[in-house]
Amino acid sequence: MPRAPKVIVIGAGLGGLAAATALRRRGAEVSIHEQAAAIGEVGAGIQITPNGVKALRGLGLEEDILRAGFRPQAIIGLDGITGREAFRTPLSDSTTMYGAPYLQAHRAELHAILLKGTAGAPLHLGARCTGIRTEGEQAVARFADGSEAEGDLVVGADGIHSVVRRTLFGDVPARYTGTMCWRGIVPFEVPDFDLVAPATSVWNGPHGHVVTYWIRGGRGVNIVAVHETAAWQDESWSARSTRDEMLAAYPGWHPRLLTLLGMAEEVFKWGLYDRDPQESWTKGRATLLGDAAHPMLPFLSQGAAMALEDGYVLGREVGEAGASGFPAALAAYERQRIPRTTRVLLRAREQGRKNHLVSPWARRWRDAVYFAKGLINPQKTGLGGDWLYEHDVAGSA
Ligand SMILES: Cc1cc2nc3c(=O)[nH]c(=O)nc-3n(C[C@H](O)[C@H](O)[C@H](O)COP(=O)(O)OP(=O)(O)OC[C@H]3O[C@@H](n4cnc5c(N)ncnc54)[C@H](O)[C@@H]3O)c2cc1C
């Protein structure tokens, strides 16, 4: 029986908690180190596509997310100006088609579920990692208060501005993608499905697109309003904004959409960054996952799903191999995860180009192609996500 590995997870976001859960379920000794003084998530929604739900199944958390999630009936593509429907990808049968439902929830709900999965693992709050070192069979993380944690492996799950990544691969800033977005939630006492369909609605228009979907079991609509802009000067990662600033970016867009945007509660704005895919995430006894490894545009709703899949696979490979199983376990992790995340990252960029076409003729042509594809197979039109949703990271174990 191999000795259980001791793993230091940096970051208690969705990916770090998924990895910690998976590692613990395979018997590893895990500690989690989070820079924030209190555990929490941004006040926004999240779409958990069927592949993400299957990763949660592998973590033993499927029942919890099924209880929390709203089940959309379809992904509907609409012209942002005319409101004309371009495609409709049915989702009501997604459990039969993909082996798990497509769900929408508040991020805090998903975070709380993952936190429950890690119960028993020490969680250190206010622990800002300032660097790591890996020597021989040892990995050490350093923290701002001067303390250190030592183990067989350090996992950098510390997001897009990852310190672990910087220590391993150098200080290369993430790439501003030329797009930013507003995020907001519209509260509802009773869902108004005439105003917002019980679906993921993707409104495509010149230089931007807006995605809306239901959360909190129908008591809120989440808005992600994406807009192309060359200048993103705010130093901070996210900033408070206003409904008026958001509305000003969508002049002449469809009145039904603008009505909804005008009802948003608090509005925040974010610059959208990604990185080029990378051939390796590992050096010695340290590796990366989630946004620390492969930050991507959110246009296929896959960043968190990829972090959950990464966490599951890393936990399985490292947990099963035991403390004597390095570096083979990390090589197996990279073999399974780098090709898939690379493909998703590049497809997300391409989706942005398609969504934001400016010429009315190009938009009509795009929508005519969507429509024609939908006649042949509605699962393969629009975002064309079925190859993503089919994947079962836990079933392939
Ligand atoms: C507008 C928008 C919409 C999105 N919508 C979706 C969606 O619908 N579906 C989906 O799957 N994905 C979506 N995503 C992507 C998703 O949010 C991210 O990919 C996901 O949250 C990444 O998780 P993570 O755990 O890797 O990183 P993070 O969530 O960033 O977590 C990193 C954690 O590490 C901590 N940390 C950072 N530095 C340190 C340090 N030095 N020391 C200790 N702790 C540290 C942070 O405080 C944080 O808790 C969206 C993203 C955006 C911007």
Side-chain angles (χ1 to χ4, degrees):
M1 184 86 174
R3 175 174 70 79
K6 187 174 173 197
V7 183
I8 316 286
V9 175
I10 307 296
L14 302 173
L17 295 181
T21 302
L23 284 157
R24 274 184 57 75
R25 284 169 67 84
R26 307 268 168 174
E29 192 187 323
V30 186
S31 61
I32 310 163
H33 305 259
E34 164 60 44
Q35 68 178 1
I39 212 75
E41 255 293 347
V42 291
I46 188 150
Q47 307 207 62
I48 312 160
T49 54
N51 51 307
V53 175
K54 285 180 272 188
L56 288 166
R57 179 183 300 159
L59 299 172
L61 300 171
E62 184 182 20
E63 289 306 316
D64 301 85
I65 197 63
L66 292 183
R67 269 195 298 278
F70 181 88
R71 298 181 189 216
Q73 290 175 2
I75 304 173
I76 302 172
L78 301 147
D79 185 286
I81 309 293
T82 64
R84 193 179 48 235
E85 185 172 312
F87 67 83
R88 182 176 285 254
T89 303
L91 293 176
S92 45
D93 212 13
S94 60
T95 306
T96 314
M97 281 184 298
Y98 305 120
Y102 189 117
L103 299 175
Q104 294 158 343
H106 194 282
R107 289 180 71 101
E109 291 170 322
L110 175 59
H111 198 256
I113 289 168
L114 284 160
L115 195 59
K116 182 180 139 196
T118 67
L123 169 62
H124 304 274
L125 296 173
R128 184 168 62 82
C129 179
T130 51
I132 65 151
R133 62 178 189 276
T134 138
E135 290 158 4
E137 298 189 348
Q138 204 187 36
V140 180
R142 278 190 313 280
F143 299 95
D145 65 359
S147 65
E148 290 193 339
E150 188 188 314
D152 298 299
L153 174 70
V154 168
V155 176
D158 49 345
I160 191 163
H161 300 300
S162 169
V163 165
V164 178
R165 176 195 184 93
R166 194 165 66 213
T167 317
L168 294 177
F169 296 103
D171 192 5
V172 181
R175 182 186 75 104
Y176 175 60
T177 59
T179 46
M180 49 82 64
C181 73
W182 286 272
R183 283 167 129 177
I185 294 177
V186 179
F188 281 88
E189 287 291 326
V190 179
D192 179 352
F193 292 139
D194 290 331
L195 181 63
V196 185
T200 299
S201 302
V202 185
W203 298 79
N204 291 323
H207 300 297
H209 74 280
V210 182
V211 180
T212 67
Y213 56 87
W214 289 92
I215 56 170
R216 297 181 185 145
R219 277 172 291 111
V221 167
N222 187 72
I223 295 169
V224 179
V226 179
H227 175 62
E228 290 180 354
T229 173
W232 177 259
Q233 286 166 1
D234 202 305
E235 290 267 304
S236 72
W237 179 231
S238 68
R240 204 167 270 277
S241 179
T242 61
R243 276 194 296 257
D244 287 347
E245 192 187 8
M246 172 168 68
L247 281 163
Y250 302 95
W253 283 49
H254 196 269
R256 192 152 58 90
L257 175 65
L258 297 183
T259 302
L260 183 73
L261 298 188
M263 292 162 66
E265 261 183 338
E266 280 181 317
V267 180
F268 288 88
K269 56 182 178 179
W270 300 60
L272 295 177
Y273 291 73
D274 74 1
R275 288 182 188 276
D276 286 333
Q278 171 167 328
E279 284 175 7
S280 171
W281 304 332
T282 303
K283 272 198 183 156
R285 290 300 186 89
T287 195
L288 304 173
L289 63 70
D291 278 7
H294 47 68
M296 58 182 68
L297 284 163
F299 303 161
L300 297 172
S301 308
Q302 286 301 312
M306 290 301 111
L308 297 176
E309 290 186 4
D310 289 348
Y312 176 83
V313 174
L314 182 69
R316 180 179 65 205
E317 296 303 328
V318 169
E320 282 183 359
S324 55
F326 298 102
L330 296 176
Y333 163 61
E334 290 195 337
R335 243 188 345 266
Q336 291 168 68
R337 298 305 305 153
I338 290 180
R340 178 163 166 85
T341 52
T342 297
R343 189 174 170 202
V344 183
L345 190 157
L346 297 177
R347 271 282 291 110
R349 283 183 184 169
E350 192 187 318
Q351 193 63 44
R353 280 191 290 274
K354 268 193 193 173
N355 288 1
H356 302 172
L357 293 174
V358 176
S359 143
W361 297 110
R363 292 192 352 244
R364 274 182 177 242
W365 176 250
R366 174 198 63 205
D367 291 350
V369 172
Y370 280 153
F371 182 76
K373 279 187 169 178
L375 292 176
I376 299 164
N377 183 347
Q379 304 312 127
K380 292 203 183 291
T381 188
L383 304 184
D386 60 339
W387 63 277
L388 278 161
Y389 312 155
E390 279 161 6
H391 192 70
D392 184 353
V393 79
S396 57

